[in-house]
Amino acid sequence: NYRRLLKYSVASIVLACAAPQAWAQGKQVTITHSSATNSHWGVAALEFEKVVEALSKNKYNVVVQRLDNEREAVESVQLGSQECALGSTGPVGNFVPDIRVLDVPFLFRDYAHARGVLDSEVGDKLLEKFKARGMIGMVWMENGFRHLTTGKKEVQSPSDVRGMKIRTMENQVHMEAWKAAGVLPTPMAFSELPSALQQGTVDGQENPIPVILAGNFDQLQKYLYLTSHVYSPGVLVCGLDFWNGLSAEDKKIFQDAAKASVKANRSRVEEDERSGVQELRRRGMEVREVTNREAYQEAMKTAVANFEKQFGADVLKTLREWR
Ligand code: EAX
């Protein structure tokens, strides 16, 4: 009897210790992003975590992880080995071809223009396209306007980029545009970029201020040219099976969290845009204002003719002239 009593008391102590913990853990939902915690992606993922956990009263335990290979992240979401991911649309067009139109260079004038389109029915319709590819496009996010950087050779005008090896995202639209400008586009995942710059496999790359800042690219590149040649959208995606398994109430929680996440993301982009160039100069980067942006546009012109065929000249015109 004494033995039995002992067995029961041990069992109840074990249960007492384990149970609340298991309960507090909630159902694990992993979301990945490709940058530092202190970045426009990091703060967005943390906000998503905070809001899901608060609104669900810890029914869900959101785990934020860093995964610099954005293509792999989307693949994992599609396959269901992770629930959600947020990041640039760079490689996403390879999964959802319709969204490639958003990556066309010189399409958006400024942030207000891009956000206006993404937040409209045009953006909603494009998010709908993710379903056929096993994902839910939750919300449009933002990576920022991309700028060219180089390591050794200084670029004075777009004709100087001819023959240069520039890393691009694994994005056909970007590759085509740079090719038209005479560049040898070298596509690779974001995860491979720092070592490619370090080893000099490429002469330069292009990314928005928030990415250059958070990735400390000032240590890898000497020159920054404020080309703003293309707006780089972002997107928060979740797996379709995961999504279909949620109750309507929980879906609403995740949607609200996604919206809060966009807010955090955009206000961080704004902050980086305000102080980032000054900070990069302070860190020693040679920053060049670009007064001849049209010359870059001109250099990419033959590609734009192709994009008009691919996406429809009228579609591009509507997007360009959006007010
Ligand atoms: O999402 O691959 C890129 O250059 C992206 O801009 C970066 O991953 C940030």
Side-chain angles (χ1 to χ4, degrees):
N1 251 357
Y2 170 73
R3 269 203 166 177
R4 227 169 110 191
L5 190 68
L6 188 70
K7 213 165 105 190
Y8 279 124
S9 32
V10 168
S12 45
I13 289 167
V14 168
L15 267 180
C17 294
Q21 212 178 344
W23 170 79
Q25 285 281 313
K27 190 178 180 301
Q28 186 169 321
V29 173
T30 300
I31 184 165
T32 62
H33 70 90
S34 65
S35 197
T37 302
N38 185 15
S39 71
H40 65 315
W41 294 141
V43 296
L46 288 180
E47 184 68 13
F48 184 74
E49 174 188 9
K50 198 180 92 188
V51 176
V52 167
E53 292 181 353
L55 294 182
S56 75
K57 303 197 175 62
N58 295 319
K59 176 176 171 188
Y60 295 97
N61 169 34
V62 176
V63 176
V64 174
Q65 278 172 7
R66 183 165 170 176
L67 176 55
D68 283 23
N69 190 321
E70 293 187 324
R71 174 173 34 81
E72 271 179 23
V74 176
E75 259 160 24
S76 296
V77 168
Q78 202 178 32
L79 295 172
S81 56
Q82 74 184 56
E83 285 74 23
C84 305
L86 63 84
S88 79
T89 53
V92 188
N94 297 327
F95 300 84
V96 189
D98 288 285
I99 70 156
R100 282 188 184 139
V101 66
L102 298 173
D103 290 302
V104 169
F106 298 100
L107 187 65
F108 299 122
R109 295 177 297 276
D110 51 27
Y111 282 100
H113 181 190
R115 291 172 182 183
V117 169
L118 294 175
D119 294 345
S120 75
E121 66 279 16
V122 173
D124 291 346
K125 274 198 187 131
L126 288 173
L127 286 177
E128 279 296 316
K129 306 280 183 191
F130 283 76
K131 278 191 192 133
R133 311 288 160 164
M135 292 178 282
I136 288 285
M138 299 283 288
V139 277
W140 291 113
M141 307 200 96
E142 184 166 272
N143 197 19
F145 277 91
R146 303 181 79 89
H147 307 290
L148 179 67
T149 72
T150 57
K152 290 199 184 90
K153 201 179 141 195
E154 184 173 357
V155 172
Q156 311 275 4
S157 77
S159 57
D160 294 338
V161 300
R162 301 196 77 82
M164 277 182 129
K165 272 181 141 178
I166 303 290
R167 177 269 176 176
T168 68
M169 297 195 285
E170 296 164 298
N171 182 296
Q172 295 190 359
V173 171
H174 288 193
M175 285 163 65
E176 231 182 283
W178 281 110
K179 211 167 166 184
V183 158
L184 304 169
T186 312
M188 64 182 80
F190 186 63
S191 47
E192 296 166 46
L193 178 55
S195 60
L197 293 176
Q198 209 140 28
Q199 290 162 12
T201 330
V202 291
D203 303 308
Q205 63 94 43
E206 42 89 60
N207 247 308
I209 299 292
V211 177
I212 297 172
L213 266 180
N216 295 329
F217 284 4
D218 48 281
Q219 292 175 28
L220 302 167
Q221 296 280 271
K222 183 167 179 202
Y223 300 103
L224 164 62
Y225 317 93
L226 301 175
T227 48
S228 300
H229 53 277
V230 66
Y231 175 80
S232 184
V235 67
L236 195 164
V237 294
C238 295
L240 192 59
D241 289 343
F242 159 73
W243 186 253
N244 288 337
L246 297 177
S247 67
E249 199 184 323
D250 289 356
K251 280 181 181 152
K252 172 85 170 54
I253 289 175
F254 281 93
Q255 271 158 345
D256 288 350
K259 279 183 203 138
S261 176
V262 176
K263 266 197 187 157
N265 160 251
R266 285 179 178 174
S267 59
R268 182 53 189 264
V269 169
E270 282 164 21
E271 196 185 315
D272 287 349
E273 286 288 357
R274 271 196 302 273
S275 58
V277 167
Q278 203 186 342
E279 171 60 14
L280 290 169
R281 281 205 168 105
R282 193 192 63 79
R283 294 186 196 170
M285 231 180 169
E286 304 265 349
V287 184
R288 303 280 182 260
E289 303 288 341
V290 173
T291 47
N292 57 344
R293 273 184 75 235
E294 315 73 45
Y296 280 91
Q297 191 166 7
E298 188 63 28
M300 293 177 174
K301 208 172 171 177
T302 54
V304 174
N306 273 342
F307 298 148
E308 288 185 343
K309 265 188 228 143
Q310 199 178 325
F311 303 114
D314 50 333
V315 172
L316 291 184
K317 189 167 183 284
T318 308
L319 293 180
R320 261 189 223 114
E321 292 172 2
W322 189 278
R323 296 267 160 199

